[in-house]
Amino acid sequence: MATKIDKEACREAYNLVRDDGSAVIWVTFKYDGSTIVPGEQGEEYQDFIQQCTDDIRLFAFVRFTTGDAMSKRSKFALITWIGENVSGLQRAKTGTDKTLVKEVVQNFAKEFVISDRKELEEDFIKSELKKAGGANYDAQAE
């Protein structure tokens, strides 16, 4: 059965994370049968990591505050989590299903496909976003 996405509900969750006035910094998109729907959301990145268990696959849109002494800005990441115990067929399907998620989640600095919890560490994600971010004035004295 072909996967579908609840675009309206997912767009609402996506916009919540994009809104700098919102305390919500992450939202997940999960499977409800063969439909992708908004899942959990939260204000702490560590709470998001707890959602990533070995037996599920999900998509997440996460806001990070990055920058340097000269400027701070929000950077967004699209994370695809595929747990260690997800079947081969579901793993393969996740790649094609991600195109549905990208119809809603269109603005992000970097995309990640992660199966190893170590790669979910906030410092790793932030350093990858920083590399993708262009100018870096950290080396200059304030």
Side-chain angles (χ1 to χ4, degrees):
M1 188 163 172
T3 304
K4 300 180 304 248
I5 186 167
D6 182 342
K7 278 189 182 179
E8 264 325 293
C10 289
R11 191 169 287 118
E12 278 181 36
Y14 165 72
N15 286 331
L16 200 56
V17 174
R18 287 202 45 87
D19 179 1
D20 286 334
S22 165
V24 174
I25 64 159
W26 62 266
V27 63
T28 61
F29 303 101
K30 64 179 186 167
Y31 291 88
D32 181 8
S34 63
T35 305
I36 297 172
V37 297
E40 306 299 319
Q41 61 189 37
E43 299 175 14
E44 295 292 328
Y45 184 74
Q46 293 305 316
D47 295 337
F48 159 66
I49 293 175
Q50 300 307 313
Q51 305 296 313
C52 300
T53 59
D54 286 342
D55 57 341
I56 65 161
R57 56 197 173 124
L58 58 77
F59 306 95
F61 183 62
V62 186
R63 176 178 57 203
F64 293 93
T65 301
T66 64
D68 47 47
M70 303 297 281
S71 68
K72 297 272 184 219
R73 58 200 165 277
S74 293
K75 291 284 186 183
F76 299 93
L78 175 61
I79 299 173
T80 301
W81 168 258
I82 304 172
E84 217 173 85
N85 299 332
V86 171
S87 74
L89 182 61
Q90 283 188 324
R91 282 175 183 273
K93 217 167 154 345
T94 304
T96 55
D97 293 347
K98 183 169 34 177
T99 41
L100 296 171
V101 174
K102 284 182 170 181
E103 288 176 17
V104 174
V105 178
Q106 296 180 336
N107 297 307
F108 49 90
K110 190 154 174 74
E111 180 178 339
F112 299 85
V113 178
I114 300 176
S115 291
D116 182 345
R117 285 183 69 96
K118 287 187 289 248
E119 291 179 28
L120 282 172
E121 288 178 14
E122 190 169 4
D123 290 341
F124 172 76
I125 302 283
K126 277 186 167 180
S127 74
E128 291 297 307
L129 286 172
K130 198 170 198 175
K131 288 178 197 171
N136 177 4
Y137 301 105
D138 278 347
Q140 297 179 3
E142 290 186 30

